[in-house]
Amino acid sequence: MNIRHIVAISSKFVIVYGLCLSVLTPFFGVSILNALWVSALITAIGYPIGDLYVLKKLGNFFATALDFGFVFIVLFLLAEPIVDTAYNRLLGAGITSLGIAASEFVYHMFIEVTNPLHPSKADVKGHGYAVEVGEEFAPADDKLINESDEDK
């Protein structure tokens, strides 16, 4: 795993966890620990499917739509024992998944630029060092070059 995968996964986790924490914890009473493990689950499943496969095959719009639907279903199903009513589960999952989808649209642009699937020259192991050997065009003891105006 190269460093670009680690940066991409950790930035996705920070985005998802920040939005889950800022929406679900104060408004719907979800604990910080529950928001943490739901964010880890969304990141672990959503990164390889949505960000590496769907984004590459279908583009940013479809990957964002998939992320919206996936996050909505996961939050709605996993919030059943945590959130009291179905309306609150629906509202919390909708608001959070909408915020995550908006941030994922920008995140997908980051993924397309960094492209963690293709290694860069810095990632390739085995540096090929080479020695450059050159010749001088005119040696220093050449009389034409070292000839001063007085010698002429």
Side-chain angles (χ1 to χ4, degrees):
M1 177 181 278
N2 63 24
I3 191 72
R4 287 185 279 173
H5 280 297
I6 295 169
V7 169
I9 290 171
S10 61
S11 61
K12 181 178 178 84
F13 176 75
V14 167
I15 291 168
V16 171
Y17 181 61
L19 284 166
C20 285
L21 196 64
S22 65
V23 173
L24 295 177
T25 300
F27 299 114
F28 300 100
V30 176
S31 70
I32 294 172
L33 187 62
N34 286 335
L36 180 72
W37 76 264
V38 167
S39 301
L41 178 71
I42 289 171
T43 303
I45 296 172
Y47 179 73
I49 295 171
D51 298 335
L52 295 182
Y53 183 73
V54 174
L55 181 63
K56 181 181 172 187
K57 298 289 184 186
L58 300 175
N60 195 358
F61 178 77
F62 289 108
T64 303
L66 176 82
D67 283 334
F68 173 78
F70 172 69
V71 170
F72 182 80
I73 290 170
V74 167
L75 288 177
F76 186 74
L77 292 178
L78 292 179
E80 186 175 2
I82 301 169
V83 180
D84 51 359
T85 64
Y87 175 75
N88 282 345
R89 281 195 330 244
L90 186 69
L91 186 64
I95 291 171
T96 306
S97 60
L98 194 63
I100 289 174
S103 64
E104 286 284 328
F105 187 78
V106 177
Y107 173 76
H108 290 155
M109 291 180 203
F110 167 73
I111 290 294
E112 288 175 340
V113 169
T114 59
N115 201 0
L117 291 177
H118 298 291
S120 69
K121 290 181 181 177
D123 294 334
V124 177
K125 295 185 182 192
H127 302 289
Y129 295 110
V131 177
E132 183 177 331
V133 179
E135 276 182 38
E136 295 181 336
F137 290 109
D141 59 4
D142 190 4
K143 293 197 187 262
L144 294 175
I145 293 176
N146 293 329
E147 187 176 3
S148 63
D149 289 336
E150 297 144 8
D151 294 337
K152 290 183 183 178

